[in-house]
Amino acid sequence: MTELVVTLDLDGVADKAGLMDRAARALTLPDWFGRNWDALADSLGDHTVWPEGAVERGLLLVVRNWRPYAEARPEEWRIAREVLTEAADHTPALSVALALGGSS
């Protein structure tokens, strides 16, 4: 059985708030999701809030169109990368991939 693929598309995201909103939508996080780095890290490591089917199959989070955000907000992007990397390192069922291309 293949992993459940969830796309986190950052096209048009200009700040941390936008990134958090996109993450909440893409991962169908609960309304109480705190929209901060710690809450994102906690959600990525907490199977109970993952989309349906992800726990059994594993979760592959594909981040698309991230380069404009990374260039506009390099410090925020550094933190986002750390959160994503750490979550993937500590959660065996989670993989995170940064998609190359797709940006104009």
Side-chain angles (χ1 to χ4, degrees):
M1 189 181 295
T2 60
E3 294 171 309
L4 176 70
V5 178
V6 171
T7 301
L8 174 56
D9 191 344
L10 299 184
D11 186 38
V13 168
D15 57 17
K16 177 182 165 187
L19 183 145
M20 293 297 165
D21 287 343
R22 293 282 176 91
R25 267 200 310 269
L27 293 163
T28 60
L29 296 174
D31 291 339
W32 48 260
F33 170 63
R35 287 178 164 68
N36 60 57
W37 299 122
D38 289 336
L40 181 60
D42 290 346
S43 296
L44 290 170
D46 181 358
H47 298 133
T48 66
V49 298
W50 283 11
E52 188 175 332
V55 175
E56 300 80 20
R57 297 166 52 188
L59 177 61
L60 171 58
L61 180 63
V62 178
V63 184
R64 296 187 64 233
N65 297 310
W66 53 272
R67 286 183 184 203
Y69 174 70
E71 291 169 7
R73 302 283 189 147
E75 184 58 23
E76 286 180 13
W77 178 245
R78 182 189 62 75
I79 296 167
R81 257 193 5 253
E82 286 176 8
V83 167
L84 295 170
T85 300
E86 201 166 294
D89 285 349
H90 291 97
T91 310
L94 174 66
S95 299
V96 178
L98 299 182
L100 300 178
S103 300
S104 49

Coordinates of all heavy atoms in Angstrom, one line a residue:
M1 N 0.9 -1.2 0.0 CA 0.0 0.0 0.0 C 0.9 1.2 0.0 O 1.8 1.3 0.8 CB -0.9 0.0 1.3 CG -1.9 1.0 1.2 SD -3.0 1.1 2.7 CE -3.8 -0.5 2.6
T2 N 0.6 2.2 -0.9 CA 1.4 3.4 -1.0 C 1.0 4.4 0.1 O -0.2 4.4 0.5 CB 1.3 4.0 -2.4 OG1 0.0 4.3 -2.6 CG2 1.8 3.0 -3.4
E3 N 1.9 5.3 0.3 CA 1.6 6.4 1.3 C 0.5 7.3 0.8 O 0.3 7.5 -0.4 CB 2.8 7.3 1.4 CG 4.0 6.6 2.1 CD 5.3 7.5 2.0 OE1 5.6 7.9 0.9 OE2 5.9 7.7 3.1
L4 N -0.3 7.9 1.7 CA -1.2 8.9 1.3 C -0.4 10.2 1.0 O 0.4 10.6 1.8 CB -2.2 9.2 2.5 CG -3.2 10.3 2.3 CD1 -4.2 9.9 1.3 CD2 -3.9 10.7 3.6
V5 N -0.7 10.8 -0.1 CA 0.0 12.0 -0.6 C -0.8 13.2 -0.3 O -2.0 13.2 -0.8 CB 0.4 11.9 -2.1 CG1 1.1 13.2 -2.5 CG2 1.3 10.7 -2.3
V6 N -0.3 14.2 0.4 CA -1.0 15.4 0.6 C -0.1 16.5 0.1 O 1.1 16.5 0.4 CB -1.2 15.7 2.2 CG1 -1.7 17.1 2.4 CG2 -2.2 14.6 2.7
T7 N -0.6 17.4 -0.7 CA 0.1 18.5 -1.3 C -0.1 19.8 -0.5 O -1.2 20.2 -0.3 CB -0.3 18.7 -2.8 OG1 0.0 17.5 -3.5 CG2 0.5 19.9 -3.4
L8 N 1.0 20.4 -0.1 CA 1.0 21.7 0.6 C 1.5 22.7 -0.5 O 2.7 22.8 -0.7 CB 1.9 21.7 1.8 CG 2.0 23.0 2.5 CD1 0.7 23.7 2.9 CD2 2.9 22.8 3.7
D9 N 0.6 23.4 -1.1 CA 0.9 24.3 -2.2 C 1.0 25.7 -1.6 O 0.1 26.3 -1.1 CB -0.2 24.3 -3.3 CG 0.2 25.0 -4.5 OD1 1.2 25.8 -4.5 OD2 -0.4 24.8 -5.6
L10 N 2.2 26.2 -1.7 CA 2.5 27.6 -1.1 C 2.4 28.7 -2.2 O 2.9 29.8 -1.9 CB 3.9 27.5 -0.5 CG 4.0 26.6 0.7 CD1 5.4 26.7 1.4 CD2 2.9 26.7 1.7
D11 N 1.9 28.4 -3.3 CA 1.7 29.4 -4.4 C 0.9 30.6 -3.8 O -0.2 30.5 -3.3 CB 1.0 28.8 -5.6 CG 0.9 29.8 -6.7 OD1 1.9 30.5 -7.0 OD2 -0.1 29.9 -7.4
G12 N 1.6 31.8 -3.9 CA 0.9 33.0 -3.4 C 1.0 33.3 -1.9 O 0.6 34.3 -1.4
V13 N 1.7 32.3 -1.2 CA 1.8 32.5 0.3 C 2.9 33.6 0.5 O 4.0 33.5 -0.1 CB 2.2 31.2 1.0 CG1 2.6 31.5 2.4 CG2 1.0 30.3 1.0
A14 N 2.6 34.6 1.3 CA 3.5 35.7 1.5 C 4.1 35.8 2.9 O 5.0 36.6 3.2 CB 2.8 37.0 1.1
D15 N 3.5 35.0 3.8 CA 4.0 35.1 5.2 C 3.6 33.9 6.0 O 2.9 32.9 5.5 CB 3.4 36.4 5.9 CG 1.9 36.4 5.9 OD1 1.2 35.4 5.6 OD2 1.3 37.5 6.1
K16 N 4.0 33.8 7.2 CA 3.8 32.7 8.1 C 2.3 32.4 8.3 O 1.9 31.2 8.3 CB 4.5 32.9 9.5 CG 4.2 31.9 10.5 CD 4.9 32.3 11.8 CE 4.4 31.4 13.0 NZ 4.9 32.0 14.3
A17 N 1.5 33.4 8.4 CA 0.1 33.2 8.6 C -0.5 32.5 7.4 O -1.3 31.5 7.5 CB -0.6 34.5 8.8
G18 N -0.1 32.8 6.2 CA -0.5 32.2 5.0 C -0.1 30.7 4.9 O -0.8 29.8 4.5
L19 N 1.2 30.5 5.3 CA 1.7 29.1 5.4 C 0.9 28.3 6.3 O 0.5 27.2 6.0 CB 3.2 29.1 5.8 CG 3.8 27.7 5.7 CD1 5.3 27.8 5.3 CD2 3.8 27.1 7.1
M20 N 0.6 28.8 7.5 CA -0.2 28.1 8.5 C -1.6 27.8 8.0 O -2.1 26.7 8.2 CB -0.2 28.8 9.8 CG 1.1 28.9 10.5 SD 1.8 27.3 11.0 CE 3.5 27.8 11.3
D21 N -2.2 28.7 7.3 CA -3.6 28.5 6.8 C -3.5 27.4 5.7 O -4.4 26.5 5.7 CB -4.1 29.8 6.2 CG -4.6 30.8 7.2 OD1 -4.7 30.4 8.4 OD2 -4.7 32.0 6.9
R22 N -2.5 27.4 4.9 CA -2.4 26.4 3.8 C -2.2 25.0 4.4 O -2.7 24.0 4.0 CB -1.3 26.7 2.8 CG -1.6 27.9 2.0 CD -2.5 27.6 0.8 NE -2.8 28.9 0.1 CZ -2.1 29.3 -0.9 NH1 -1.1 28.6 -1.4 NH2 -2.4 30.4 -1.5
A23 N -1.3 25.0 5.4 CA -1.0 23.7 6.1 C -2.3 23.2 6.8 O -2.6 22.0 6.7 CB 0.1 23.9 7.1
A24 N -3.0 24.0 7.4 CA -4.2 23.6 8.1 C -5.2 23.0 7.1 O -5.9 22.0 7.4 CB -4.9 24.8 8.9
R25 N -5.4 23.7 6.0 CA -6.3 23.2 4.9 C -5.8 21.9 4.3 O -6.6 20.9 4.2 CB -6.5 24.2 3.8 CG -7.6 25.2 4.1 CD -8.1 25.8 2.8 NE -7.0 26.5 2.1 CZ -6.7 27.8 2.2 NH1 -7.3 28.5 3.1 NH2 -5.7 28.3 1.5
A26 N -4.5 21.9 3.9 CA -4.0 20.7 3.2 C -4.1 19.5 4.1 O -4.4 18.4 3.6 CB -2.5 21.0 2.8
L27 N -3.7 19.6 5.4 CA -3.7 18.5 6.3 C -5.0 18.3 7.0 O -5.1 17.4 7.9 CB -2.6 18.7 7.3 CG -1.2 18.6 6.7 CD1 -0.2 19.2 7.7 CD2 -0.8 17.2 6.4
T28 N -6.0 19.1 6.7 CA -7.4 19.1 7.4 C -7.2 19.0 8.9 O -7.8 18.2 9.6 CB -8.2 17.9 6.9 OG1 -7.6 16.6 7.1 CG2 -8.6 18.0 5.4
L29 N -6.4 20.0 9.4 CA -6.2 20.1 10.8 C -7.4 20.6 11.5 O -8.2 21.3 11.0 CB -4.9 20.9 11.1 CG -3.6 20.4 10.5 CD1 -2.5 21.4 10.7 CD2 -3.3 19.1 11.2
P30 N -7.5 20.2 12.8 CA -8.7 20.6 13.6 C -8.8 22.2 13.8 O -7.7 22.8 13.7 CB -8.6 19.9 14.9 CG -7.2 19.5 15.0 CD -6.6 19.4 13.6
D31 N -9.9 22.7 14.1 CA -10.1 24.1 14.3 C -9.2 24.7 15.3 O -8.9 25.8 15.3 CB -11.6 24.4 14.6 CG -12.5 24.2 13.4 OD1 -12.0 24.2 12.3 OD2 -13.7 24.0 13.7
W32 N -8.9 23.8 16.3 CA -8.1 24.3 17.4 C -6.6 24.4 17.1 O -5.8 24.7 17.9 CB -8.3 23.5 18.7 CG -8.3 22.0 18.5 CD1 -9.4 21.2 18.4 CD2 -7.1 21.2 18.4 NE1 -9.0 19.9 18.2 CE2 -7.6 19.8 18.3 CE3 -5.7 21.4 18.5 CZ2 -6.7 18.7 18.1 CZ3 -4.9 20.3 18.4 CH2 -5.4 19.0 18.2
F33 N -6.2 24.0 15.9 CA -4.8 24.1 15.4 C -4.3 25.6 15.7 O -4.9 26.5 15.3 CB -4.7 23.8 13.9 CG -3.3 24.1 13.3 CD1 -2.2 23.4 13.8 CD2 -3.2 25.0 12.3 CE1 -1.0 23.7 13.2 CE2 -2.0 25.3 11.8 CZ -0.8 24.6 12.2
G34 N -3.2 25.7 16.4 CA -2.7 27.0 16.9 C -2.0 27.9 15.9 O -1.7 29.0 16.2
R35 N -1.8 27.4 14.7 CA -1.2 28.3 13.6 C 0.1 28.9 14.1 O 0.4 30.1 13.8 CB -2.2 29.3 13.1 CG -3.3 28.6 12.3 CD -4.3 29.6 11.8 NE -5.1 29.1 10.7 CZ -6.0 28.1 10.8 NH1 -6.2 27.5 12.0 NH2 -6.7 27.7 9.8
N36 N 1.0 28.1 14.7 CA 2.3 28.6 15.0 C 3.3 27.4 14.8 O 2.8 26.3 14.5 CB 2.4 29.1 16.5 CG 2.1 28.1 17.5 OD1 2.6 27.0 17.6 ND2 1.1 28.5 18.3
W37 N 4.6 27.6 14.9 CA 5.6 26.6 14.5 C 5.4 25.4 15.4 O 5.5 24.3 15.0 CB 7.0 27.2 14.6 CG 7.2 28.3 13.6 CD1 7.7 29.5 14.0 CD2 7.1 28.3 12.2 NE1 7.8 30.3 12.8 CE2 7.4 29.5 11.7 CE3 6.7 27.3 11.3 CZ2 7.4 29.9 10.4 CZ3 6.7 27.6 9.9 CH2 7.0 28.9 9.5
D38 N 5.2 25.6 16.8 CA 5.1 24.5 17.7 C 3.9 23.7 17.4 O 3.9 22.4 17.4 CB 5.1 25.0 19.1 CG 6.4 25.5 19.6 OD1 7.4 25.1 19.1 OD2 6.4 26.3 20.6
A39 N 2.8 24.3 17.0 CA 1.5 23.6 16.7 C 1.7 22.8 15.4 O 1.2 21.7 15.3 CB 0.4 24.6 16.6
L40 N 2.4 23.4 14.5 CA 2.6 22.6 13.2 C 3.5 21.4 13.5 O 3.2 20.3 13.0 CB 3.3 23.5 12.2 CG 3.6 22.9 10.8 CD1 2.3 22.4 10.2 CD2 4.3 23.9 9.9
A41 N 4.5 21.6 14.3 CA 5.4 20.4 14.6 C 4.6 19.4 15.4 O 4.7 18.2 15.0 CB 6.6 20.9 15.5
D42 N 3.8 19.8 16.3 CA 3.0 18.8 17.1 C 2.0 18.1 16.2 O 1.8 16.9 16.3 CB 2.2 19.6 18.2 CG 3.1 20.1 19.3 OD1 4.3 19.7 19.4 OD2 2.6 20.9 20.1
S43 N 1.3 18.8 15.2 CA 0.4 18.2 14.3 C 1.0 17.2 13.4 O 0.4 16.2 13.1 CB -0.4 19.3 13.5 OG -1.1 20.1 14.4
L44 N 2.2 17.6 12.9 CA 2.9 16.6 12.0 C 3.3 15.3 12.7 O 3.3 14.3 12.1 CB 4.1 17.3 11.4 CG 3.8 18.4 10.4 CD1 5.1 19.2 10.0 CD2 3.1 17.8 9.1
G45 N 3.6 15.4 14.0 CA 4.0 14.3 14.8 C 2.8 13.5 15.4 O 3.0 12.5 16.0
D46 N 1.6 14.0 15.3 CA 0.4 13.5 16.0 C -0.5 12.8 15.0 O -1.3 13.4 14.3 CB -0.3 14.6 16.7 CG -1.5 14.1 17.5 OD1 -1.8 12.9 17.5 OD2 -2.2 14.9 18.2
H47 N -0.4 11.4 15.0 CA -1.2 10.7 14.0 C -2.7 10.9 14.2 O -3.5 10.7 13.2 CB -0.9 9.2 14.2 CG 0.5 8.8 13.9 ND1 1.2 8.0 14.8 CD2 1.3 9.1 12.9 CE1 2.4 7.8 14.3 NE2 2.5 8.5 13.2
T48 N -3.1 11.3 15.4 CA -4.6 11.4 15.6 C -5.2 12.6 14.8 O -6.4 12.6 14.7 CB -4.9 11.6 17.1 OG1 -4.4 12.9 17.6 CG2 -4.3 10.5 17.9
V49 N -4.4 13.5 14.3 CA -4.9 14.6 13.6 C -4.6 14.5 12.1 O -5.0 15.4 11.3 CB -4.5 16.0 14.1 CG1 -5.0 16.2 15.5 CG2 -3.0 16.2 14.0
W50 N -4.0 13.4 11.7 CA -3.7 13.3 10.3 C -4.9 13.0 9.5 O -5.9 12.5 10.0 CB -2.7 12.1 10.1 CG -1.3 12.4 10.5 CD1 -0.8 13.5 11.1 CD2 -0.2 11.6 10.2 NE1 0.5 13.4 11.3 CE2 1.0 12.2 10.7 CE3 0.0 10.3 9.7 CZ2 2.3 11.7 10.7 CZ3 1.3 9.8 9.6 CH2 2.4 10.4 10.1
P51 N -4.9 13.2 8.1 CA -6.0 12.9 7.3 C -6.3 11.4 7.3 O -5.5 10.6 7.6 CB -5.5 13.3 5.9 CG -4.4 14.3 6.1 CD -3.8 13.9 7.4
E52 N -7.6 11.1 7.1 CA -8.1 9.7 7.1 C -7.2 8.9 6.2 O -6.9 9.2 5.0 CB -9.5 9.7 6.7 CG -10.2 8.3 6.9 CD -11.6 8.3 6.6 OE1 -12.3 9.4 6.7 OE2 -12.1 7.3 6.2
G53 N -6.8 7.7 6.7 CA -6.0 6.8 5.9 C -4.5 6.9 6.0 O -3.8 6.0 5.7
A54 N -4.1 8.1 6.5 CA -2.6 8.3 6.6 C -1.9 7.5 7.6 O -0.8 7.1 7.4 CB -2.4 9.8 6.8
V55 N -2.6 7.2 8.7 CA -2.0 6.5 9.8 C -1.6 5.0 9.3 O -0.5 4.6 9.5 CB -2.9 6.4 11.1 CG1 -2.3 5.5 12.1 CG2 -3.1 7.8 11.6
E56 N -2.6 4.4 8.6 CA -2.3 3.1 8.1 C -1.3 3.0 7.0 O -0.5 2.0 6.9 CB -3.7 2.4 7.7 CG -4.8 2.3 8.7 CD -5.5 3.7 8.9 OE1 -5.5 4.6 8.0 OE2 -6.1 3.8 10.0
R57 N -1.3 4.0 6.1 CA -0.5 4.0 4.9 C 0.8 4.7 5.1 O 1.7 4.5 4.3 CB -1.3 4.5 3.8 CG -2.6 3.7 3.4 CD -3.5 4.4 2.5 NE -2.9 4.9 1.3 CZ -3.5 5.7 0.5 NH1 -4.8 6.1 0.7 NH2 -2.9 6.1 -0.6
G58 N 0.8 5.7 6.0 CA 2.0 6.6 6.0 C 1.5 7.9 5.3 O 0.6 7.9 4.5
L59 N 2.2 9.0 5.6 CA 1.9 10.3 5.0 C 3.1 10.8 4.3 O 4.2 10.9 4.9 CB 1.4 11.2 6.1 CG 1.1 12.6 5.7 CD1 -0.1 12.7 4.8 CD2 0.7 13.4 7.0
L60 N 2.9 11.2 3.0 CA 3.9 11.9 2.2 C 3.4 13.3 2.0 O 2.3 13.5 1.3 CB 4.1 11.2 0.9 CG 5.0 12.0 -0.1 CD1 6.4 12.3 0.5 CD2 5.1 11.2 -1.4
L61 N 4.0 14.3 2.6 CA 3.7 15.7 2.4 C 4.6 16.3 1.4 O 5.8 16.4 1.6 CB 3.8 16.4 3.8 CG 3.5 17.9 3.7 CD1 2.0 18.1 3.4 CD2 3.8 18.6 5.1
V62 N 4.0 16.7 0.3 CA 4.7 17.3 -0.8 C 4.5 18.8 -0.8 O 3.4 19.3 -0.9 CB 4.3 16.7 -2.2 CG1 5.1 17.4 -3.3 CG2 4.5 15.2 -2.2
V63 N 5.6 19.5 -0.6 CA 5.5 21.0 -0.6 C 5.8 21.6 -2.0 O 7.0 21.3 -2.5 CB 6.5 21.6 0.5 CG1 6.3 23.1 0.6 CG2 6.2 20.9 1.9
R64 N 4.9 22.2 -2.6 CA 5.0 22.8 -3.9 C 5.1 24.3 -3.8 O 4.5 24.9 -2.9 CB 3.9 22.4 -4.8 CG 3.7 20.9 -5.0 CD 2.7 20.6 -6.1 NE 3.0 21.2 -7.3 CZ 2.2 22.0 -8.1 NH1 1.0 22.3 -7.6 NH2 2.7 22.5 -9.2
N65 N 5.7 24.9 -4.9 CA 5.7 26.4 -5.0 C 6.2 27.1 -3.8 O 5.7 28.1 -3.4 CB 4.3 26.9 -5.4 CG 3.9 26.3 -6.8 OD1 4.6 26.4 -7.7 ND2 2.7 25.7 -6.8
W66 N 7.3 26.5 -3.2 CA 7.8 27.1 -2.0 C 8.9 28.1 -2.2 O 9.2 28.9 -1.3 CB 8.4 25.9 -1.1 CG 9.4 25.1 -1.8 CD1 9.1 24.0 -2.6 CD2 10.8 25.2 -1.9 NE1 10.3 23.4 -3.1 CE2 11.3 24.2 -2.7 CE3 11.7 26.2 -1.4 CZ2 12.7 24.1 -3.0 CZ3 13.0 26.1 -1.6 CH2 13.5 25.0 -2.4
R67 N 9.5 28.2 -3.4 CA 10.6 29.0 -3.6 C 10.3 30.5 -3.4 O 11.1 31.2 -2.8 CB 11.3 28.8 -5.0 CG 12.0 27.5 -4.9 CD 12.7 27.3 -6.3 NE 13.4 26.0 -6.2 CZ 14.4 25.7 -7.0 NH1 14.8 26.5 -7.9 NH2 14.9 24.5 -6.9
P68 N 9.2 31.0 -4.0 CA 8.9 32.5 -3.8 C 8.8 32.8 -2.3 O 9.3 33.9 -1.9 CB 7.6 32.7 -4.5 CG 7.6 31.6 -5.6 CD 8.3 30.4 -4.9
Y69 N 8.1 32.0 -1.5 CA 8.0 32.2 -0.1 C 9.4 32.2 0.6 O 9.7 33.0 1.4 CB 7.1 31.2 0.5 CG 7.0 31.2 2.0 CD1 6.4 32.3 2.7 CD2 7.6 30.2 2.8 CE1 6.3 32.4 4.1 CE2 7.5 30.3 4.2 CZ 6.9 31.4 4.8 OH 6.8 31.4 6.2
A70 N 10.2 31.2 0.2 CA 11.6 31.1 0.8 C 12.4 32.3 0.5 O 13.2 32.7 1.3 CB 12.2 29.8 0.2
E71 N 12.2 32.9 -0.7 CA 13.0 34.0 -1.1 C 12.5 35.3 -0.4 O 13.3 36.2 0.0 CB 13.0 34.2 -2.6 CG 13.8 33.1 -3.3 CD 13.6 33.1 -4.8 OE1 12.9 34.0 -5.4 OE2 14.1 32.2 -5.5
A72 N 11.2 35.4 -0.3 CA 10.6 36.6 0.3 C 10.8 36.6 1.9 O 10.9 37.7 2.5 CB 9.1 36.6 0.0
R73 N 10.7 35.4 2.5 CA 10.8 35.3 3.9 C 11.8 34.2 4.3 O 11.5 33.2 4.9 CB 9.4 34.9 4.5 CG 8.3 35.8 4.2 CD 8.4 37.1 5.1 NE 7.1 37.8 4.9 CZ 6.6 38.5 5.8 NH1 7.1 38.5 7.0 NH2 5.5 39.2 5.6
P74 N 13.1 34.5 4.1 CA 14.1 33.5 4.3 C 14.2 33.0 5.7 O 14.4 31.8 6.0 CB 15.4 34.1 3.9 CG 15.2 35.6 3.8 CD 13.7 35.7 3.6
E75 N 14.0 33.8 6.7 CA 14.1 33.4 8.1 C 12.9 32.5 8.5 O 13.1 31.4 9.1 CB 14.2 34.6 9.1 CG 14.3 34.2 10.5 CD 15.6 33.4 10.8 OE1 16.6 33.4 10.1 OE2 15.6 32.7 11.9
E76 N 11.7 32.9 8.0 CA 10.5 32.0 8.2 C 10.7 30.7 7.5 O 10.4 29.6 8.1 CB 9.3 32.7 7.7 CG 8.8 33.8 8.6 CD 7.5 34.5 8.1 OE1 6.9 33.9 7.1 OE2 7.2 35.6 8.6
W77 N 11.2 30.7 6.3 CA 11.4 29.5 5.6 C 12.4 28.6 6.2 O 12.2 27.3 6.3 CB 11.8 29.7 4.1 CG 12.0 28.5 3.4 CD1 13.2 28.0 2.8 CD2 11.0 27.4 3.1 NE1 13.0 26.8 2.2 CE2 11.7 26.4 2.4 CE3 9.7 27.3 3.4 CZ2 11.0 25.3 2.0 CZ3 9.0 26.1 3.0 CH2 9.7 25.1 2.3
R78 N 13.4 29.1 6.8 CA 14.4 28.3 7.5 C 13.8 27.6 8.7 O 14.0 26.4 8.9 CB 15.6 29.2 8.1 CG 16.7 28.4 8.8 CD 17.7 29.3 9.5 NE 17.0 30.2 10.5 CZ 16.7 29.7 11.7 NH1 16.8 28.4 12.1 NH2 16.1 30.5 12.6
I79 N 12.9 28.3 9.4 CA 12.2 27.7 10.5 C 11.2 26.6 10.0 O 11.1 25.5 10.6 CB 11.4 28.7 11.4 CG1 12.4 29.7 12.0 CG2 10.6 28.1 12.4 CD1 11.8 30.9 12.6
A80 N 10.5 26.9 8.9 CA 9.6 26.0 8.4 C 10.3 24.7 8.0 O 9.8 23.6 8.2 CB 8.9 26.6 7.2
R81 N 11.4 24.8 7.3 CA 12.2 23.7 6.9 C 12.7 22.9 8.1 O 12.6 21.6 8.1 CB 13.5 24.1 6.1 CG 13.4 23.9 4.6 CD 14.7 24.1 3.9 NE 15.9 24.3 4.7 CZ 16.5 25.4 4.8 NH1 16.1 26.5 4.2 NH2 17.6 25.5 5.5
E82 N 13.1 23.6 9.2 CA 13.5 22.8 10.4 C 12.4 22.1 11.0 O 12.5 20.9 11.4 CB 14.0 23.8 11.4 CG 15.4 24.4 11.1 CD 15.9 25.4 12.1 OE1 15.2 25.6 13.2 OE2 16.9 26.1 11.9
V83 N 11.2 22.7 11.0 CA 10.0 22.0 11.6 C 9.6 20.8 10.7 O 9.4 19.7 11.3 CB 8.8 23.0 11.6 CG1 7.5 22.2 11.9 CG2 9.0 24.0 12.7
L84 N 9.6 20.9 9.4 CA 9.3 19.8 8.5 C 10.3 18.7 8.6 O 10.0 17.5 8.7 CB 9.2 20.3 7.1 CG 8.1 21.3 6.8 CD1 8.2 21.9 5.4 CD2 6.7 20.6 6.9
T85 N 11.6 19.1 8.7 CA 12.7 18.1 8.7 C 12.6 17.3 10.1 O 12.7 16.1 10.1 CB 14.1 18.8 8.6 OG1 14.1 19.4 7.3 CG2 15.2 17.8 8.7
E86 N 12.5 18.0 11.1 CA 12.5 17.4 12.5 C 11.2 16.5 12.6 O 11.4 15.4 13.1 CB 12.4 18.5 13.5 CG 12.9 18.0 14.9 CD 13.2 19.1 15.9 OE1 14.1 19.9 15.6 OE2 12.4 19.2 16.9
A87 N 10.1 16.9 12.1 CA 8.9 16.1 12.1 C 9.1 14.8 11.4 O 8.8 13.7 11.8 CB 7.7 16.8 11.6
A88 N 9.7 14.9 10.2 CA 10.0 13.7 9.4 C 11.0 12.8 10.0 O 10.9 11.6 10.0 CB 10.4 14.1 8.0
D89 N 12.0 13.4 10.6 CA 13.1 12.6 11.3 C 12.5 11.8 12.5 O 13.0 10.8 12.8 CB 14.2 13.5 11.8 CG 15.1 14.0 10.7 OD1 15.0 13.4 9.5 OD2 15.9 14.9 10.9
H90 N 11.5 12.4 13.2 CA 11.0 11.8 14.4 C 9.7 11.0 14.3 O 9.2 10.5 15.3 CB 10.8 12.9 15.5 CG 12.2 13.4 16.0 ND1 12.7 14.6 15.5 CD2 13.0 13.0 16.9 CE1 13.9 14.8 16.0 NE2 14.1 13.9 16.9
T91 N 9.1 11.0 13.1 CA 7.9 10.4 12.8 C 8.1 9.4 11.7 O 8.0 9.8 10.5 CB 6.8 11.4 12.5 OG1 6.8 12.4 13.5 CG2 5.4 10.8 12.5
P92 N 8.3 8.1 12.0 CA 8.6 7.2 10.9 C 7.6 7.1 9.8 O 7.9 6.8 8.6 CB 8.7 5.8 11.6 CG 9.0 6.2 13.1 CD 8.3 7.5 13.3
A93 N 6.3 7.3 10.1 CA 5.3 7.2 9.0 C 5.1 8.5 8.2 O 4.3 8.5 7.3 CB 3.9 6.9 9.7
L94 N 5.9 9.5 8.5 CA 5.9 10.8 7.8 C 7.1 11.0 6.9 O 8.2 10.8 7.3 CB 5.8 11.9 8.8 CG 5.8 13.4 8.2 CD1 4.6 13.7 7.3 CD2 6.0 14.4 9.3
S95 N 6.8 11.4 5.6 CA 7.9 11.8 4.7 C 7.5 13.2 4.2 O 6.3 13.5 4.0 CB 8.0 10.8 3.5 OG 8.3 9.5 3.9
V96 N 8.5 14.0 4.0 CA 8.3 15.4 3.5 C 9.2 15.6 2.3 O 10.3 15.2 2.3 CB 8.6 16.5 4.5 CG1 8.4 17.9 3.9 CG2 7.7 16.3 5.8
A97 N 8.6 16.0 1.2 CA 9.4 16.3 -0.1 C 9.1 17.7 -0.5 O 8.0 18.2 -0.5 CB 9.0 15.3 -1.1
L98 N 10.2 18.4 -0.9 CA 10.1 19.7 -1.5 C 10.1 19.5 -3.0 O 11.1 19.0 -3.6 CB 11.2 20.6 -1.1 CG 11.4 20.9 0.4 CD1 12.6 21.8 0.7 CD2 10.1 21.5 1.0
A99 N 9.0 19.9 -3.7 CA 8.9 19.7 -5.1 C 9.8 20.8 -5.8 O 9.7 21.9 -5.5 CB 7.5 19.8 -5.6
L100 N 10.5 20.4 -6.8 CA 11.3 21.3 -7.6 C 10.5 21.6 -8.8 O 9.8 20.8 -9.3 CB 12.7 20.7 -7.9 CG 13.5 20.3 -6.8 CD1 14.8 19.6 -7.3 CD2 13.9 21.5 -5.9
G101 N 10.7 22.8 -9.3 CA 10.0 23.3 -10.5 C 8.6 23.7 -10.1 O 8.2 23.8 -8.9
G102 N 7.8 24.0 -11.1 CA 6.4 24.4 -10.8 C 6.2 25.8 -10.5 O 5.1 26.3 -10.3
S103 N 7.3 26.6 -10.3 CA 7.2 28.0 -10.0 C 7.5 28.7 -11.3 O 8.4 28.4 -12.0 CB 8.2 28.4 -8.9 OG 7.9 27.7 -7.7
S104 N 6.8 29.8 -11.5 CA 7.1 30.6 -12.7 C 7.9 31.8 -12.3 O 8.0 32.2 -11.2 CB 5.9 31.0 -13.4 OG 4.9 31.6 -12.5

